[in-house]
Amino acid sequence: MKFGDLSIYLSRLESTTKRLEMFDILSEAFSKVDKNEIGKAVYFIQGEPAPSFYGIQIGMADKIVEKAISMAYVEGIEKVKTSSKKIGDLGEVAEKLDKQKSYSNLTITAVYDSILKLSKMTGEGSTEEKINELAECLKKVAPLEAKYIVRFVLGKLRLGIGNATIMEALSKAKTNDRKFKPELEKAFNLCSDLGYVAELFYSKGEEVIKRFQVEVMRPIRPALAERLNTPRKILEKLGRCALDQKFDGFRAQVHKEGDKVKVFSRNLEDITSFMPEIVEAVRRLSEKTIIFDSEALSYDEDTGTLYPFQVTIHRKRKHDIEEASQKFPLRLFVFDVMFLNGKSLIDEPYTARRETVERIFKDSGSVISPSKIIITDKEDDFIRFFDETISSGLEGVVAKRLSSGYSAGARNFNWIKIKRSYKSKLNDTIDVVILGYFRGRGSRARFGIGAILAGVYDERTDTFKTITKVGSGFSEDQLKQMKSALDSVKVDHKPARVDSMIEPDFWVQPEYVITVKADEITNSPIHTAGMENGVGYALRFPRAVSFIRADKNADDANTVKEIKEMFKQQKTVKI
Ligand code: ATP
């Protein structure tokens, strides 16, 4: 497909405010893309040259792109800068300056390759090289193409189309039916690379997707836990089950193939370079290839006590990782294994996977060890283990169904978490997606932001529904940072995937997640989360307990289904 044609589709997708229309445009576009280009087309739709775990960075900030635009259209740099300031979008600046009358002959592949080339230019003189390469590309293309190329290069081609919608559209485009989506989703959950899955689907067909297996060095989308608020309910649901200590660190999915080791975070960023001591310990394992799931924590070597989450995460921001790894060495607690020496264990029952965890990690040294579990069907044992776990400073327990496989990318009752706060009315914090913000009033007027409109994810429709307005819990500094983060994803109309009865002063692309605590979930006539017959759900007295979460994407926020469950559960708790 010509990149010009894709640009027209991008423009139509950008201007629609209706999700169904978005789906129709997308499946029409995908039906016209060739099998060799479908992966790249998916990346353009996602707005990233590849999933972030590949670590491909184009590395061009506004200033450099301004120079490329100035060079391509023989326009003074000052004029480019002024228009950029005025319009606030370099994509549009390029569109306005570009005088080409007709669309270029460049294919999606040609444009993609030229952009990928930028990411490979590093070291001395690379800035000039990048400016030349981008300018050459811009010279050849029509205004609309230029707009999207510039936005893509800057990481600002955000159309806010969810992966679920992309998969449904791929299924419709290739088979004329949406029904193949679950198979695509299964493959995506095993490799986290939708472009790769799309390309296999188009070039090798349905059977290959159905047989798709885990691949070492491509992260598996993590299995997630449901919640219940009493040991009894959990035992009623699971019967005899494993109780696994729940650590409050950060999730680390580890891949090893020979000497090569990679560690992925909960939202599948490559975090290998942050934890040299872990990489070294993993290399020492005798297994040739392995993928396992674990929680990483820092601990005090002298006393053996675990540091809280804030200390653990701190090193991510530290420049001197070596120093941090000496001062706050990390430990890994392994709770699952998904692949071993050429064989996927995803479909093996929990008991078999757990035996493998014990066998491999029992004596693997002090850095990596298995999490501690018990297996029981007795409420007394459950309560005792839970209390012991809590008194040793941990967060709670994750109960695991003995017969279940590893549920990649799914939150279901194969894993059920119960935290130490389960006796309070609303026993958990809630992760919400920021959908818009309100201007500050009174003392907050000077920050330009006073509160945010936030929502939860509705898996059924792949949309975001509002649940609350949050104004408290942010420091002044955070408010300032929040405004600048949100301004970078501001849009001029309600995004198509947002369902809201409330109109904030500014809409933003649903990208950022924050964690909030609330007193209670209540019914509400104005919030659309779970709305039926005019009644939805809202949070009472919400306050932020985190800043923007680096480890969560919008689709990782809590879901409408979970809110309904939490609402039901809080009614059954006696305080
Ligand atoms: P939370 O805020 O409760 O961690 P979450 O949305 O990040 O929620 P959940 O699926 O709700 O993730 O809870 C599971 C999380 O708990 C995992 O992502 C993992 O990081 C952590 N965890 C700690 N110990 C364990 C364990 N033994 N088994 C499974 N997950 C564990």
Side-chain angles (χ1 to χ4, degrees):
M1 181 188 264
K2 293 276 185 313
F3 188 74
D5 293 330
L6 181 67
S7 304
I8 296 169
Y9 282 117
L10 293 174
S11 157
R12 286 173 60 194
L13 286 166
E14 194 184 22
S15 55
T16 178
T17 55
K18 299 191 188 80
R19 200 193 80 91
L20 286 181
E21 206 173 280
M22 182 183 252
F23 171 78
D24 288 339
I25 301 167
L26 197 57
S27 37
E28 185 191 315
F30 284 160
S31 70
K32 298 196 171 144
V33 178
D34 190 68
K35 60 177 192 276
N36 306 319
E37 298 195 305
I38 189 70
K40 290 159 194 143
V42 166
Y43 294 149
F44 274 112
I45 298 293
Q46 290 180 318
E48 276 192 325
S52 55
F53 56 80
Y54 291 120
I56 295 174
Q57 276 175 358
I58 297 173
M60 288 185 83
D62 282 15
K63 271 195 182 141
I64 308 180
V65 175
E66 280 165 2
K67 285 190 185 154
I69 292 175
S70 152
M71 183 185 270
Y73 306 125
V74 202
E75 189 58 77
I77 186 76
E78 283 315 316
K79 182 165 174 205
V80 175
K81 282 189 171 153
T82 320
S83 330
S84 164
K85 239 190 210 133
K86 205 165 110 204
I87 301 174
D89 169 14
L90 273 171
E92 260 182 62
V93 174
E95 185 184 24
K96 288 211 163 77
L97 291 173
D98 191 335
K99 298 284 178 277
Q100 292 272 13
K101 292 269 182 308
S102 51
Y103 284 97
S104 74
N105 264 329
L106 298 181
T107 58
I108 293 179
T109 305
V111 172
Y112 182 84
D113 288 349
S114 161
I115 293 174
L116 208 61
K117 230 170 161 185
L118 300 171
S119 72
K120 294 190 179 127
M121 296 170 175
T122 52
E124 211 179 313
S126 62
T127 305
E128 289 311 310
E129 260 185 287
K130 283 182 181 191
I131 294 171
N132 286 335
E133 174 72 25
L134 181 59
E136 281 310 309
C137 179
L138 291 178
K139 271 186 207 165
K140 294 181 201 147
V141 300
L144 198 63
E145 296 171 273
K147 170 160 114 179
Y148 293 117
I149 290 172
V150 165
R151 284 193 189 162
F152 191 68
V153 163
L154 287 169
K156 288 184 176 161
L157 178 52
R158 296 187 177 94
L159 297 169
I161 302 180
N163 287 334
T165 306
I166 296 179
M167 289 186 271
E168 208 171 345
L170 283 168
S171 168
K172 177 85 190 339
K174 173 93 188 342
T175 66
N176 204 21
D177 198 316
R178 301 173 188 216
K179 284 201 197 113
F180 200 69
K181 181 189 158 204
E183 299 290 345
L184 291 172
E185 199 161 9
K186 233 169 79 196
F188 172 55
N189 284 337
L190 295 181
C191 72
S192 313
D193 182 346
L194 203 45
Y196 177 58
V197 171
E199 214 159 294
L200 274 183
F201 180 41
Y202 268 49
S203 55
K204 301 263 164 69
E206 280 120 283
E207 284 312 307
V208 168
I209 295 295
K210 283 187 187 158
R211 290 197 307 269
F212 191 89
Q213 278 303 338
V214 170
E215 294 175 18
V216 186
M217 302 300 156
R218 281 206 175 91
I220 300 167
R221 298 187 70 225
L224 301 171
E226 278 285 355
R227 47 170 82 65
L228 282 174
N229 58 0
T230 67
R232 178 168 304 169
K233 280 188 201 159
I234 293 178
L235 290 172
E236 274 167 15
K237 190 103 193 163
L238 300 182
R240 193 173 161 74
C241 61
L243 302 178
D244 203 336
Q245 292 175 316
K246 187 175 196 304
F247 301 90
D248 192 11
F250 60 91
R251 197 162 183 166
Q253 185 184 124
V254 181
H255 290 227
K256 171 184 191 279
E257 186 164 42
D259 255 2
K260 197 167 164 209
V261 174
K262 274 191 194 251
V263 187
F264 301 103
S265 65
R266 185 189 186 289
N267 60 345
L268 309 178
E269 301 279 342
D270 184 341
I271 50 170
T272 316
S273 60
F274 293 115
M275 38 189 71
E277 72 275 41
I278 295 294
V279 172
E280 211 177 287
V282 172
R283 276 208 189 108
R284 285 199 296 269
L285 293 173
S286 55
E287 313 302 324
K288 193 165 172 297
T289 38
I290 186 165
I291 304 176
F292 61 88
D293 209 348
S294 65
E295 193 81 354
L297 289 159
S298 307
Y299 72 114
D300 183 331
E301 262 181 306
D302 296 331
T303 63
T305 47
L306 298 169
Y307 288 122
F309 182 61
Q310 283 72 10
V311 175
T312 314
I313 207 79
H314 187 61
R315 67 160 56 191
K316 276 185 114 174
R317 292 182 216 123
K318 270 211 154 168
H319 292 299
D320 196 348
I321 289 161
E322 282 301 332
E323 188 194 314
S325 70
Q326 303 280 324
K327 225 161 142 193
F328 307 111
L330 282 170
R331 265 188 84 160
L332 280 193
F333 291 93
V334 182
F335 52 80
D336 220 315
V337 54
M338 295 84 97
F339 189 89
L340 184 65
N341 297 331
K343 188 168 179 278
S344 167
L345 307 182
I346 292 263
D347 296 323
E348 304 250 312
Y350 171 81
T351 37
R353 298 199 311 279
R354 183 68 207 189
E355 274 167 27
T356 308
V357 168
E358 295 289 341
R359 180 168 58 74
I360 295 174
F361 297 101
K362 202 164 52 111
D363 302 313
S364 59
S366 62
V367 181
I368 311 179
S369 48
S371 59
K372 191 173 150 200
I373 66 158
I374 63 161
I375 294 185
T376 187
D377 55 2
K378 300 205 171 46
E379 197 179 352
D380 284 354
D381 290 348
F382 194 136
I383 293 171
R384 200 173 315 117
F385 183 73
F386 183 81
D387 288 344
E388 268 170 34
T389 306
I390 296 302
S391 37
S392 63
L394 304 189
E395 195 189 21
V397 158
V398 186
K400 297 184 175 170
R401 194 190 298 277
L402 298 178
S403 58
S404 75
Y406 183 90
S407 308
R411 193 183 291 281
N412 59 34
F413 285 98
N414 288 337
W415 288 8
I416 308 175
K417 61 181 170 180
I418 176 164
K419 294 196 194 176
R420 62 178 159 242
S421 51
Y422 79 91
K423 285 177 183 144
S424 67
K425 196 159 188 183
L426 182 55
N427 66 49
D428 209 346
T429 53
I430 295 177
D431 294 332
V432 290
V433 188
I434 305 179
L435 306 175
Y437 71 88
F438 300 87
R439 279 193 198 92
R441 285 176 237 297
S443 66
R444 286 196 169 178
R446 68 198 153 102
F447 302 117
I449 179 169
I452 56 164
L453 178 65
V456 285
Y457 180 54
D458 190 343
E459 285 170 305
R460 267 183 328 115
T461 51
D462 192 25
T463 54
F464 298 94
K465 306 260 166 92
T466 73
I467 191 161
T468 194
K469 256 170 85 168
V470 193
S472 66
F474 303 112
S475 65
E476 294 195 347
D477 234 26
Q478 284 178 331
L479 276 177
K480 278 187 225 156
Q481 283 179 45
M482 179 74 84
K483 171 145 187 333
S484 99
L486 294 183
D487 281 347
S488 72
V489 290
K490 205 152 80 177
V491 283
D492 55 12
H493 58 70
K494 184 176 73 59
R497 284 167 77 214
V498 173
D499 181 2
S500 172
M501 291 164 66
I502 298 169
E503 180 93 10
D505 292 326
F506 304 99
W507 291 108
V508 298
Q509 282 292 6
E511 280 192 23
Y512 293 126
V513 172
I514 59 165
T515 304
V516 296
K517 212 167 168 37
D519 283 5
E520 203 181 337
I521 298 172
T522 56
N523 283 127
S524 154
I526 54 163
H527 283 291
T528 51
M531 186 166 262
E532 273 170 45
N533 304 322
V535 184
Y537 297 97
L539 303 183
R540 200 163 94 95
F541 298 133
R543 59 253 175 220
V545 291
S546 82
F547 192 57
I548 293 168
R549 297 275 305 254
D551 62 338
K552 292 209 172 169
N553 302 331
D555 301 0
D556 299 322
N558 280 117
T559 61
V560 168
K561 192 168 148 234
E562 288 174 87
I563 296 295
K564 285 186 183 165
E565 267 309 309
M566 288 161 103
F567 180 74
K568 259 198 264 161
Q569 286 183 25
Q570 70 182 8
K571 280 193 176 165
T572 63
V573 176
K574 291 193 198 79
I575 325 178

